[in-house]
Amino acid sequence: MRGGALLAALAAVAALAAAPPLLGEYRTTLLLPVFGYGVALLGLNLLFGYGGLVSFGHAMFVAAGAYAAAVVTGVWRIESFEAVLLAAAAAGLALALPVGALCARYTKIFFGMLTLAFGMLFHSFLFKFYGLTGGDQGMRVRRPTLLGLEFEELDKTAFLVGPYYWYCLAVAALLALLMWRIVRSPFGLALRAQRDNPRKAEYLGVEVRRTRFVAFLVSAAFGAVGGAMLAVPTGLADPELAYWTHSGTLVFMTLLGGFAHFAGPLLGALAYVLLQDWLMSLTPYWRLLLGAVLALIVLACPQGLMGLPALLRARLAARRRRAAAPHPAPAE
Amino acid sequence: MAALIEVLAAGLFHAAVLFLVAAGLQLVFGVQRILNLACGSFYALGAYLGVTAGGLALGAGLSPLLALPLLVLAGAAVAALGPPVERLLRLVYDRDESFQLLLTFALVLMFQDLIRMGWGSQPQQVEGVYLAYGQVQLGAARIPVWNLLVLAAAIAIAGGLGLFLQRTDFGRILRATAENRRMAASLGVDTGRVYAAVFTLGTALGGIGGALVVPAAAAVPEKAVELVVEAFAVVVIGGLGSMPGALAGAAIVGLLRAGALLVWPELELLAVYAVVVAVLLLRPAGLFGRPAA
Amino acid sequence: MSPPLLETYRVGRRYGDFVALRDVTLRVHPGETVAIVGPNGAGKTTLVNVLTGLLRPSEGWVRFLGSDIAGAGPVRLAQLGMARAFQLVQVFPELTAAETIAVGALAQAGRGRRMLASLGADRALRARVEEVAAVFGLGPVLHRPARELSQGQKKLLDVASAFALRPTVILLDEPTSGVATADKHGIMATLTEAARRAGVQALLLVEHDIDLVETYATRVVGLRGGEVLADLPVRAFFADEEVTAALVGRRPARGAQG
């Protein structure tokens, strides 16, 4: 089982690493956001899937990472992408400390509302403080160096579909490995225990609120690092990144992939990016279709794509049982 | 002094509209335990129906002075969406809250484009009504009569809602269902019917709120998602599910925004959320909310 | 006599004008199984909540192993070595039986916060989990999620996870409620045996079933109207007809009782 997971992960990384020459420039560009979103969603799902806390404000951390990238490369003129990623993580943590301290006291609907509210608070800060943040214009993110290499000979697209693509793949793989460790640690177990039954968890010595708070911090750091990775291809950090509908989209992506599985958020990032691209090519009213897809998942396939095989198997088994049974079987 | 009165009037106008939306949100949360992210979508739909109805009626020569009842009706027409949407939400009543929230988010996405399909992306307004009603002079301050009418209408609706919930049989049934779903069902209450009615009422309130604004401010599709944020601030401050809370929260948010706009425009929403945070620290259940068990 | 493990002194608890507990003084010593009995509304739940640090008494004090635990909360209590199993079965539906036991075992070892340690590679933890599971006969279902277990297995798992804390004192709140009468003695026998093996020094038992109280308790504390009406060794308790009639209704009371 464990060996199987490791093998699948290695195969996925190898396939993605080999993809750019096969896919060509356009499709490779399309894949770039998958890494940034994948990292951000791994963080989101620590709260959602493992902690049972649905954040409708996670986009604020993605935005914080993007703005950190803009400040580091544009204002401080530090070009190292490693420095950008560290600064993004620090920015995410700095924002999550006060927000998490307040939000970790709540669960369920209240948690969702509060995170939404704080996300919008951050959005309005980005939007209104023109002098600091560029207001609705946002801030430019300059092209970073990777491991000290400038890749001067490459134009922007060649840089993005070449070195930047592989760099982001590596970062995403490493962070996925880190998250894999975290969810399989005593802390990860405590997080799942408080999700299932907070009272029982407390009587078994789990510091429920502290656990939620730490998960919130980790999730924010992942969100911000993902945000910085997303901001380089677009070259822009703008306030819309923090808007609550973007947070909703992040939750949607996680659900699409499957929140109950470790790899769900990664698959969700990939599936969403492809789905959105396809729907946008069909109609200007792609949100309508996207909304319909979301409604369908919520109603018919809440375990997302990762849960699809099990769902189909169950359906098939039920049909076979019905066909085999001469009389209608009683409800379980 | 004059500026202060004008700000007060603008704030109360805003508060009146917010109250209508928040009241709808509170009703639905109180009874169905669903937090409806699409409340802003109903508001935006009400606004656009108001634009269309207003445009048609004024074009046909209707006196602008009849705009108030006309717009209330146009906004209330959003209620037609109540039953089918409630039917959809019914599928997730016994599911985890996160799925309920996500289903209403799916509605937000869909309504956003439906509005774009129907009315396009350009700002639209009902012209002429705002001016036709004129202004009243209060000392040195000038206050648009329309704003006062909307305030009066909201107060009337709040009063009517209060009477309806406290004094009528259906209001009592509704409160009983909010208190204890199973108990109400065992006493023979048709909870399905109550849910449909409550959701429809909530939809109508949001729609009316949207329609009443269009003479004063243009309708834009983005309003559907913007309004949610303020409506949430109102219910967090007032306490989830509480009607008096919606009233107090709306007044606080409306006045605060107007005041912040006068003093330091950058602080608009920040000021509102500073209060949200303060309320959460001091009274986590909101001003009128019952503490969570 | 050795010092008491758990001790209250003149504990009172009021809710507004309503007095839920008045002047409750009791001690629990090593080796005892103390049953708390009394009619509904006698204050049993309030007393249990005070004893487990969930409620702060309005008057008096409560100590566990010498430290003040008034309102200390369940996490602190678990760290100090007091465990509690609830009347209604409490499990983590999506966690396997092994994981459920591991939650308690990790807290007991002070390793519950670690973020990068691998659970899978923790041999000591696995041994401890298997040891606890064996006591409760949960070995065969160790890797099944709790939601798939039978009601009886859930109950055992609930208690097993509490034992994983290696508690000094364990409080069992109607441990056999919801269990068929025939199984009650079986469960109690498993629990007391497990307690002995786990090094639990004293048991607190809230129980309606008088048969069980008579069989397993060493001492009975009878509550009524928030006050201690009797605090007697089990034999003396059941020998006193007036007390038993008032507290456990073994004989039909003459007046109508609520």
Side-chain angles (χ1 to χ4, degrees):
Chain A
M1 184 71 199
R2 283 182 57 112
L6 186 66
L7 223 58
L10 284 176
V13 171
L16 282 169
L22 301 172
L23 292 179
E25 250 175 31
Y26 171 74
R27 291 204 196 111
T28 306
T29 318
L30 196 64
L31 280 186
L32 277 173
V34 173
F35 301 123
Y37 274 124
V39 169
L41 297 188
L42 280 173
L44 179 70
N45 205 40
L46 183 67
L47 285 177
F48 180 19
Y50 292 91
L53 299 166
V54 185
S55 166
F56 262 78
H58 204 64
M60 84 178 110
F61 303 116
V62 173
Y67 275 87
V71 169
V72 170
T73 61
V75 181
W76 297 347
R77 300 273 158 180
I78 299 172
E79 288 174 336
S80 154
F81 195 50
E82 294 75 48
V84 167
L85 293 179
L86 284 177
L93 284 176
L95 186 59
L97 275 169
V99 175
L102 273 168
C103 293
R105 298 155 45 137
Y106 300 90
T107 56
K108 300 188 176 185
I109 215 106
F110 272 98
F111 182 82
M113 282 179 74
L114 277 174
T115 45
L116 189 155
F118 280 109
M120 288 311 295
L121 188 63
F122 189 59
H123 172 265
S124 88
F125 162 75
L126 295 175
F127 197 74
K128 298 270 170 139
F129 284 74
Y130 192 88
L132 275 173
T133 64
D136 58 349
Q137 299 293 305
M139 292 173 88
R140 270 201 60 202
V141 178
R142 293 174 61 241
R143 179 169 145 178
T145 62
L146 305 175
L147 301 169
L149 303 172
E150 289 190 18
F151 300 103
E152 267 171 13
E153 70 286 3
L154 300 177
D155 68 8
K156 187 178 179 202
T157 311
F159 169 74
L160 288 177
V161 302
Y164 188 73
Y165 176 94
W166 284 303
Y167 190 95
C168 283
L169 172 61
V171 171
L174 285 175
L175 288 177
L177 198 64
L178 177 64
M179 187 57 87
W180 175 263
R181 289 303 294 264
I182 290 173
V183 300
R184 268 155 192 75
S185 69
F187 166 80
L189 180 61
L191 188 62
R192 288 160 58 220
Q194 69 77 35
R195 170 198 68 196
D196 278 13
N197 189 339
R199 191 159 80 133
K200 170 78 176 163
E202 282 197 320
Y203 276 93
L204 291 183
V206 173
E207 298 154 291
V208 166
R209 203 180 278 184
R210 177 193 178 275
T211 306
R212 286 182 191 143
F213 180 57
V214 173
F216 196 89
L217 293 182
V218 173
S219 128
F222 271 71
V225 169
M229 290 161 75
L230 286 169
V232 171
T234 59
L236 187 72
D238 80 308
E240 294 316 295
L241 283 173
Y243 209 75
W244 75 267
T245 46
H246 191 216
S247 293
T249 303
L250 296 176
V251 182
F252 177 6
M253 291 163 110
T254 310
L255 194 73
L256 177 65
F259 69 96
H261 295 81
F262 179 80
L266 301 170
L267 183 64
L270 178 67
Y272 181 90
V273 165
L274 298 178
L275 177 69
Q276 192 188 20
D277 180 68
W278 178 56
L279 292 179
M280 281 172 103
S281 72
L282 289 181
T283 161
Y285 302 114
W286 52 274
R287 275 197 200 82
L288 182 63
L289 298 175
L290 216 49
V293 170
L294 174 57
L296 207 66
I297 296 173
V298 169
L299 294 176
C301 188
Q303 301 282 316
L305 292 172
M306 294 295 279
L308 211 51
L311 190 75
L312 292 177
R313 232 177 296 138
R315 284 271 159 89
L316 220 63
R319 182 174 300 176
R320 219 173 290 144
R321 228 177 302 130
R322 234 174 297 138
H327 302 292
E332 51 172 322
Chain B
M1 188 61 196
L4 196 68
I5 292 175
E6 275 167 16
V7 164
L8 205 68
L12 286 176
F13 172 66
H14 195 59
V17 174
L18 270 181
F19 166 73
L20 292 175
V21 179
L25 199 61
Q26 300 283 53
L27 263 183
V28 171
F29 184 80
V31 176
Q32 271 125 313
R33 299 278 132 191
I34 283 187
L35 190 66
N36 185 14
L37 288 171
C39 63
S41 307
F42 296 136
Y43 169 92
L45 269 173
Y48 277 104
L49 284 179
V51 166
T52 302
L56 285 176
L58 294 179
L62 187 85
S63 158
L65 294 176
L66 285 173
L68 185 70
L70 176 77
L71 289 179
V72 169
L73 283 179
V78 181
L81 282 173
V85 172
E86 194 273 340
R87 193 70 198 75
L88 184 72
L89 290 176
R90 195 175 288 185
L91 300 172
V92 295
Y93 280 163
D94 52 354
R95 295 268 296 277
D96 196 79
E97 282 163 332
S98 46
F99 289 106
Q100 300 172 351
L101 214 52
L102 276 164
L103 190 55
T104 65
F105 180 62
L107 291 175
V108 171
L109 291 174
M110 290 193 275
F111 278 123
Q112 225 177 338
D113 268 352
L114 285 174
I115 288 172
R116 255 184 258 269
M117 284 165 100
W119 287 275
S121 301
Q122 296 305 311
Q124 294 188 31
Q125 198 163 358
V126 176
E127 305 287 349
V129 171
Y130 206 58
L131 293 178
Y133 278 87
Q135 296 178 319
V136 286
Q137 195 83 25
L138 219 95
R142 291 162 159 276
I143 299 166
V145 173
W146 178 257
N147 289 9
L148 295 176
L149 283 175
V150 169
L151 187 58
I155 291 173
I157 290 174
L161 211 56
L163 282 178
F164 166 72
L165 289 174
Q166 299 293 330
R167 297 287 163 79
T168 65
D169 282 343
F170 194 74
R172 278 185 213 111
I173 289 175
L174 206 148
R175 283 187 297 139
T177 312
E179 205 67 49
N180 191 332
R181 192 190 290 200
R182 219 168 287 159
M183 175 89 88
S186 72
L187 290 175
V189 172
D190 181 353
T191 49
R193 204 170 64 96
V194 172
Y195 286 0
V198 165
F199 196 80
T200 306
L201 184 59
T203 318
L205 286 170
I208 294 172
L212 289 179
V213 173
V214 282
V220 286
E222 288 73 33
K223 202 66 197 170
V225 291
E226 275 173 37
L227 196 83
V228 173
V229 180
E230 280 178 72
F232 275 24
V234 169
V235 299
V236 170
I237 291 173
L240 251 179
S242 153
M243 274 298 162
L247 203 58
I252 291 172
V253 173
L255 290 173
L256 211 58
R257 279 201 76 162
L261 274 173
L262 179 77
V263 182
W264 193 6
E266 277 75 19
L267 282 187
E268 210 188 337
L269 207 57
L270 291 171
V272 170
Y273 278 106
V275 174
V276 169
V277 171
V279 166
L280 285 171
L281 285 174
L282 301 173
R283 283 187 66 98
L287 296 179
F288 290 84
R290 272 175 287 178
Chain C
M1 206 176 200
S2 55
L5 301 166
L6 183 61
E7 186 177 15
T8 70
Y9 179 72
R10 307 203 66 173
V11 157
R13 171 75 202 193
R14 270 174 305 197
Y15 298 96
D17 287 339
F18 176 70
V19 180
L21 280 184
R22 193 200 307 267
D23 227 4
V24 174
T25 298
L26 50 92
R27 295 193 175 87
V28 178
H29 292 276
E32 287 193 298
T33 297
V34 178
I36 299 172
V37 301
N40 286 333
K44 287 184 309 238
T45 307
T46 309
L47 178 58
V48 164
N49 285 338
V50 167
L51 289 175
T52 52
L54 205 61
L55 269 182
R56 185 176 281 281
S58 320
E59 290 109 32
W61 48 254
V62 49
R63 284 184 195 152
F64 177 57
L65 302 178
S67 36
D68 182 12
I69 54 159
V75 176
R76 176 100 185 95
L77 261 289
Q79 285 163 351
L80 284 174
M82 192 193 306
R84 176 176 183 180
F86 291 90
Q87 179 184 354
L88 296 173
V89 172
Q90 302 278 332
V91 292
F92 307 113
E94 302 299 322
L95 265 54
T96 64
E99 287 171 330
T100 307
I101 297 170
V103 174
L106 285 163
Q108 187 269 326
R111 288 188 283 143
R113 288 179 170 193
R114 295 193 183 180
M115 296 187 72
L116 293 174
S118 163
L119 283 178
D122 192 335
R123 293 233 179 95
L125 177 67
R126 196 185 311 165
R128 173 81 184 121
V129 166
E130 280 168 4
E131 179 193 331
V132 173
V135 172
F136 290 89
L138 291 167
V141 294
L142 212 45
H143 298 291
R144 297 245 313 265
R147 66 182 148 78
E148 289 179 6
L149 303 185
S150 71
Q151 194 60 21
Q153 285 169 331
K154 279 182 190 161
K155 184 100 214 174
L156 287 173
L157 178 59
D158 186 1
V159 181
S161 59
F163 273 94
L165 288 168
R166 287 191 206 277
T168 312
V169 169
I170 187 162
L171 190 146
L172 303 168
D173 200 345
E174 302 206 21
T176 63
S177 77
V179 176
T181 318
D183 299 340
K184 285 186 185 227
H185 280 274
I187 290 204
M188 275 309 290
T190 308
L191 288 183
T192 42
E193 168 64 11
R196 194 187 55 75
R197 281 217 256 165
V200 174
Q201 295 185 37
L203 283 154
L204 272 166
L205 182 65
V206 179
E207 184 56 75
H208 277 302
D209 190 314
I210 291 317
D211 246 14
L212 292 179
V213 171
E214 209 166 359
T215 314
Y216 293 98
T218 58
R219 190 152 59 89
V220 183
V221 173
L223 285 181
R224 197 164 164 198
E227 290 181 277
V228 176
L229 207 67
D231 182 352
L232 297 166
V234 65
R235 287 220 187 130
F237 182 89
F238 284 100
D240 190 328
E241 290 186 5
E242 222 170 290
V243 167
T244 48
L247 288 169
V248 299
R250 176 163 275 190
R251 285 142 191 269
R254 251 163 292 173
Q257 280 201 354

